[in-house]
Amino acid sequence: MEKTDALNGSEGSGGGGSVCGYHSLHRLLNAISNPISSSRILYGLNRGKALETISLLKSAKSLSSGHDFDLQAYCFLINKELLREPRIVRVGLIQNSITLPTNKVKPIIDVAGASGVNVLCLQRIHLNFTRKVWTMPFAFCTREKRWCEFAEPDLARKYNMVIISPILERDVNHGETLWNTAVIIGNTGNIIGKHRKNHITRVGDFNESTYYMEGNTGHPVFETAYGKIAANICYGRHHPLNCAFGLNGAEIVFNPSATMGELSEPMWPIEPCNAAIANSYFVGSINRVGTKVFPNPFTSSDGKLEHANLGHFYGLLISDMDINLCRQIKDKWGGFQMTARYDLYTDLLTRYLKPNFEPQHNKSP
Amino acid sequence: MEKTDALNGSEGSGGGGSVCGYHSLHRLLNAISNPISSSRILYGLNRGKALETISLLKSAKSLSSGHDFDLQAYCFLINKELLREPRIVRVGLIQNSITLPTNKVKPIIDVAGASGVNVLCLQRIHLNFTRKVWTMPFAFCTREKRWCEFAEPDLARKYNMVIISPILERDVNHGETLWNTAVIIGNTGNIIGKHRKNHITRVGDFNESTYYMEGNTGHPVFETAYGKIAANICYGRHHPLNCAFGLNGAEIVFNPSATMGELSEPMWPIEPCNAAIANSYFVGSINRVGTKVFPNPFTSSDGKLEHANLGHFYGLLISDMDINLCRQIKDKWGGFQMTARYDLYTDLLTRYLKPNFEPQHNKSP
């Protein structure tokens, strides 16, 4: 799995390395079937049309092959509007394996810059449970540094690019509390804001609740030069009610993740699509790629003996998008925001929160 | 599309009649690929394992071929538990085309009975917009009759079977209000209760809001002899917050639908899977099959000229299930109910409901 790092692609579902010899279900279906019919199933928000590829500069391509990572670029089709100009945002999604110390990510950011990427989301930080320390995606992003002391602002300014950078944040104003945080860096190198992950990953003995705190930043949406974006960090994708980014007006929601094939792969192609459908926003899902092997064996939630790797990492990437499509879909499916029953949900949730909640059951009289 | 009526099957995604010559994506992937790898992607809650087929009585098979409808039976695999006996429920999902007056459904119910089906869900009622009258799925279920005056209770008692029967309900106690209702009939012919559809279908000029009222029955769960079930009627599947059936303890949620290939097919395989993942319950999705042609042309939401049919109907069926799997999945993914942030969602929804709601936006300082 050497050439699996990918930038700016669109792959359907990874399938744990290959599906029947193909890198993705998307490629498999395209090879054996009518592309339109497979795309009709896979790409609802592209209205059943196959994705078009984007021509990139030769310099970007040679840089990517020089550093041995895959570079794919696609765009969504959208109807022209009478009153609004297109608002095409070139989105880059980095999926990288971790090898510390790493020099892999910097060239990918350079390629993103050379490819005219407007908004770039980096890989989620990942916990190394074997040593109870944090392994960071970048050498220049360590636990000891504050969240505004990165190299990313310089790169954001250099490439006129918004960067979503997942980090571990140490909150010295609240007793050294640690947060799983995404920092949103504006295209002038400015820090627009941050979001702290709402939901703590807990699956059996794979439990991150001693590593960081439930987020207290709500569901913020960040107004950037290229549209309203948000970050739904990793495990939050499992919670449909975390769609609240949509209620706050998000047009693109990034989901930087680090999740394993055997555990969550069946859900991986489902959840981001469902979030996009239900909220009329784009979703950019990112997972680590490759297989990570740790020096010391450990157990996780699969009931197996201790092992030294976290399984195979796989990914799904989504790319170029005219974010006017969000409103076009809302206007077409107006029913979604206008047939929702927020009062009904709020009433039930309010009652559900109480310890003496009684489910609404009908028994035969 | 003669032999597309199906009982008790599991088909992945229909694909508008055929995908590359196959009736379903499920069959296509099984034919060309390793069944395990395709099932791993398609059947998350079956933990990546292929579905096993169920042997049915010859009498049921000959009855189905005699009446020219397809009969498929599969089961989910589940781990044995130390303390609980299996609670295997045989679920039947009827997908039928409409030809009025119809004699198609009665034989399918008979086959369901002969096949030992415990819980049977019928096809959703459907509106005929060309004449502004209701076309009913059964000759014995007309607008003029009350919701408890069906033949289904007799059939439920005869076959010791719970039946979910979608009807149009006339509410004489509230000014002749019409509701889009699912009646839950117990296995002794008793009426356990009813649910009125929460969300009114509105897509462009395809608008059902003059035909029935938003439901006022909340998210009821019905305790039957075969487990806790609920009905999320048709359009409700688009609303992830309508998952509240899960908060009330549902183990199987049926989604009787009548939706069209060109409009909603890309979402069809996504939404029920996502609801099952997020709520750890089974979902039984049902759609009409075949193409319905009406005598008078009409327009709908696709911007096309008037036409006389509602497009091609397709379906997805799910079958035999040990509902102990719900708790097994909850125990494994305990994080889903225990990492949810219901307080956070409730707070946001409460604010969102107010006319002066201000989205939580971060602008660069």
Side-chain angles (χ1 to χ4, degrees):
Chain A
M1 293 298 298
E2 271 308 296
K3 286 178 74 80
T4 49
D5 286 6
L7 169 70
N8 222 15
S10 176
E11 291 299 328
S13 162
S18 75
V19 181
C20 199
Y22 289 86
H23 277 316
S24 70
L25 182 60
H26 169 69
R27 286 180 181 171
L28 166 82
L29 286 172
N30 270 346
I32 55 121
S33 168
N34 177 348
I36 299 301
S37 70
S38 64
S39 295
R40 185 170 157 193
I41 295 168
L42 290 175
Y43 307 113
L45 289 186
N46 204 35
R47 297 161 301 143
K49 290 174 186 139
L51 296 174
E52 289 190 354
T53 53
I54 304 169
S55 298
L56 296 176
L57 290 175
K58 274 192 178 176
S59 58
K61 285 183 183 174
S62 60
L63 197 52
S64 74
S65 55
H67 285 85
D68 197 25
F69 65 87
D70 193 19
L71 173 63
Q72 299 288 338
Y74 297 87
C75 68
F76 285 80
L77 301 173
I78 171 170
N79 294 327
K80 288 202 172 172
E81 299 186 15
L82 287 175
L83 299 177
R84 294 192 301 179
E85 289 296 311
R87 293 187 297 150
I88 296 169
V89 179
R90 182 156 291 187
V91 170
L93 309 174
I94 294 182
Q95 301 199 133
N96 58 282
S97 56
I98 293 277
T99 47
L100 275 178
T102 180
N103 58 0
K104 275 192 164 184
V105 175
K106 174 67 168 54
I108 304 181
I109 296 178
D110 289 333
V111 170
S115 302
V117 163
N118 303 124
V119 183
L120 180 69
C121 188
L122 307 184
Q123 172 69 53
R124 192 203 147 197
I125 53 166
H126 194 77
L127 317 188
N128 179 339
F129 282 96
T130 60
R131 295 180 172 187
K132 299 236 174 191
V133 296
W134 296 84
T135 46
M136 285 290 143
F138 303 114
F140 45 81
C141 166
T142 67
R143 183 173 179 171
E144 285 64 40
K145 295 192 179 178
R146 299 283 295 278
W147 63 272
C148 56
E149 296 175 319
F150 295 173
E152 284 96 321
D154 293 336
L155 293 166
R157 185 166 44 243
K158 177 178 178 185
Y159 292 121
N160 194 30
M161 186 162 67
V162 171
I163 297 182
I164 299 100
S165 179
I167 64 157
L168 182 67
E169 177 193 1
R170 178 184 292 281
D171 183 358
V172 291
N173 292 340
H174 290 87
E176 305 269 333
T177 293
L178 295 172
W179 307 99
N180 190 328
T181 297
V183 180
I184 283 70
I185 303 159
N187 59 314
T188 63
N190 53 319
I191 304 293
I192 300 181
K194 65 185 172 189
H195 174 55
R196 291 165 173 168
K197 183 180 171 189
N198 281 328
H199 304 85
I200 295 187
T201 309
R202 291 205 292 265
V203 188
D205 56 359
F206 188 99
N207 190 330
E208 298 182 354
S209 66
T210 53
Y211 292 86
Y212 57 86
M213 181 83 171
E214 283 98 344
N216 60 355
T217 52
H219 295 89
V221 168
F222 304 95
E223 293 188 24
T224 76
Y226 308 112
K228 299 190 194 74
I229 68 172
N232 184 1
I233 303 173
C234 196
Y235 196 77
R237 73 185 177 281
H238 298 309
H239 292 280
L241 277 72
N242 210 36
C243 74
F245 298 108
L247 298 181
N248 282 324
E251 293 167 315
I252 310 173
V253 176
F254 294 92
N255 175 227
S257 301
T259 186
M260 292 154 276
E262 204 167 330
L263 186 64
S264 63
E265 187 180 11
M267 310 174 183
W268 182 257
I270 301 285
E271 293 162 327
C273 293
N274 196 76
I277 291 166
N279 300 290
S280 305
Y281 54 52
F282 286 94
V283 176
S285 294
I286 294 175
N287 196 21
R288 184 169 301 174
V289 294
T291 302
K292 173 83 186 106
V293 178
F294 292 92
N296 302 309
F298 57 98
T299 62
S300 54
S301 59
D302 53 10
K304 292 180 184 168
L305 294 178
E306 63 173 17
H307 48 284
N309 71 67
L310 275 171
H312 184 76
F313 287 95
Y314 59 95
L316 166 74
L317 307 176
I318 302 178
S319 61
D320 257 28
M321 43 196 76
D322 182 344
I323 54 176
N324 281 350
L325 187 57
C326 299
R327 190 196 280 173
Q328 286 189 15
I329 294 286
K330 281 186 182 178
D331 284 353
K332 176 174 181 183
W333 283 95
F336 283 9
Q337 70 271 30
M338 293 189 286
T339 62
R341 300 288 303 277
Y342 298 114
D343 54 343
L344 206 62
Y345 316 141
T346 307
D347 172 63
L348 176 65
L349 285 169
T350 303
R351 288 186 287 107
Y352 185 85
L353 279 170
K354 294 177 182 163
N356 61 351
F357 168 68
E358 288 190 14
Q360 183 186 357
H361 280 185
N362 280 241
K363 295 182 190 181
S364 188
Chain B
M1 294 299 293
E2 271 307 296
K3 286 178 73 78
T4 49
D5 287 6
L7 169 69
N8 220 16
S10 177
E11 292 299 325
S13 161
S18 74
V19 180
C20 200
Y22 289 87
H23 278 316
S24 70
L25 184 59
H26 169 70
R27 286 180 182 172
L28 167 82
L29 285 173
N30 270 347
I32 55 120
S33 169
N34 177 347
I36 300 301
S37 71
S38 65
S39 296
R40 185 169 156 193
I41 296 168
L42 290 175
Y43 307 111
L45 288 187
N46 204 35
R47 296 162 301 146
K49 291 175 185 137
L51 297 174
E52 289 191 354
T53 54
I54 303 169
S55 297
L56 297 176
L57 290 176
K58 274 193 177 176
S59 58
K61 285 184 182 171
S62 61
L63 195 54
S64 76
S65 56
H67 285 86
D68 197 25
F69 64 87
D70 194 17
L71 173 63
Q72 299 287 339
Y74 297 88
C75 68
F76 285 81
L77 302 174
I78 171 170
N79 294 327
K80 287 203 173 173
E81 298 186 14
L82 287 176
L83 298 177
R84 293 193 301 179
E85 289 297 311
R87 291 186 299 149
I88 296 169
V89 179
R90 182 157 290 186
V91 170
L93 309 174
I94 294 182
Q95 300 198 135
N96 59 282
S97 56
I98 294 277
T99 47
L100 275 177
T102 180
N103 58 0
K104 274 194 164 183
V105 176
K106 174 67 167 53
I108 304 183
I109 297 179
D110 289 334
V111 169
S115 301
V117 163
N118 304 123
V119 184
L120 180 69
C121 188
L122 308 183
Q123 172 71 51
R124 194 204 147 200
I125 54 168
H126 193 78
L127 317 186
N128 179 341
F129 283 96
T130 59
R131 296 179 171 185
K132 299 237 175 190
V133 297
W134 297 85
T135 48
M136 284 293 144
F138 304 115
F140 46 78
C141 167
T142 68
R143 183 174 178 174
E144 285 65 39
K145 294 190 180 178
R146 299 283 295 278
W147 64 270
C148 56
E149 295 176 322
F150 294 173
E152 284 95 324
D154 294 335
L155 292 166
R157 186 167 42 243
K158 178 178 177 185
Y159 293 121
N160 194 31
M161 187 161 69
V162 171
I163 296 182
I164 298 101
S165 178
I167 65 158
L168 183 67
E169 178 193 0
R170 179 184 290 283
D171 183 359
V172 290
N173 292 339
H174 290 88
E176 305 270 332
T177 293
L178 296 173
W179 308 98
N180 190 328
T181 298
V183 181
I184 284 71
I185 302 159
N187 59 313
T188 62
N190 52 318
I191 304 293
I192 300 182
K194 65 186 173 189
H195 174 55
R196 291 165 171 166
K197 184 181 172 189
N198 280 329
H199 304 85
I200 295 187
T201 309
R202 291 204 291 264
V203 188
D205 56 359
F206 188 100
N207 190 329
E208 298 183 353
S209 66
T210 53
Y211 292 86
Y212 56 87
M213 181 83 173
E214 283 99 343
N216 60 355
T217 52
H219 294 89
V221 169
F222 304 95
E223 294 187 24
T224 75
Y226 308 112
K228 299 190 193 72
I229 68 171
N232 184 0
I233 303 173
C234 196
Y235 195 77
R237 72 184 177 283
H238 298 308
H239 292 280
L241 277 71
N242 210 36
C243 75
F245 298 107
L247 298 182
N248 282 323
E251 292 166 315
I252 310 173
V253 176
F254 294 91
N255 177 227
S257 300
T259 186
M260 292 155 277
E262 205 167 328
L263 185 64
S264 63
E265 187 179 9
M267 310 173 183
W268 182 257
I270 302 285
E271 293 162 326
C273 293
N274 196 76
I277 291 167
N279 301 288
S280 306
Y281 55 51
F282 287 92
V283 176
S285 294
I286 294 175
N287 196 21
R288 185 170 300 174
V289 295
T291 302
K292 172 86 186 103
V293 178
F294 293 92
N296 303 306
F298 58 96
T299 62
S300 54
S301 59
D302 53 9
K304 294 179 183 168
L305 294 178
E306 63 174 17
H307 48 284
N309 71 66
L310 275 171
H312 184 77
F313 288 94
Y314 58 94
L316 167 74
L317 307 176
I318 302 177
S319 61
D320 257 28
M321 43 196 75
D322 182 344
I323 53 176
N324 281 349
L325 187 57
C326 299
R327 189 196 282 172
Q328 286 188 16
I329 294 287
K330 282 187 181 177
D331 284 352
K332 176 174 182 183
W333 284 93
F336 282 10
Q337 70 270 30
M338 292 189 286
T339 62
R341 301 289 303 275
Y342 298 113
D343 54 342
L344 206 63
Y345 316 141
T346 307
D347 173 64
L348 176 65
L349 286 169
T350 302
R351 288 186 286 107
Y352 185 84
L353 280 169
K354 294 177 182 163
N356 62 350
F357 167 69
E358 288 190 12
Q360 182 186 357
H361 280 184
N362 280 242
K363 294 181 191 181
S364 189

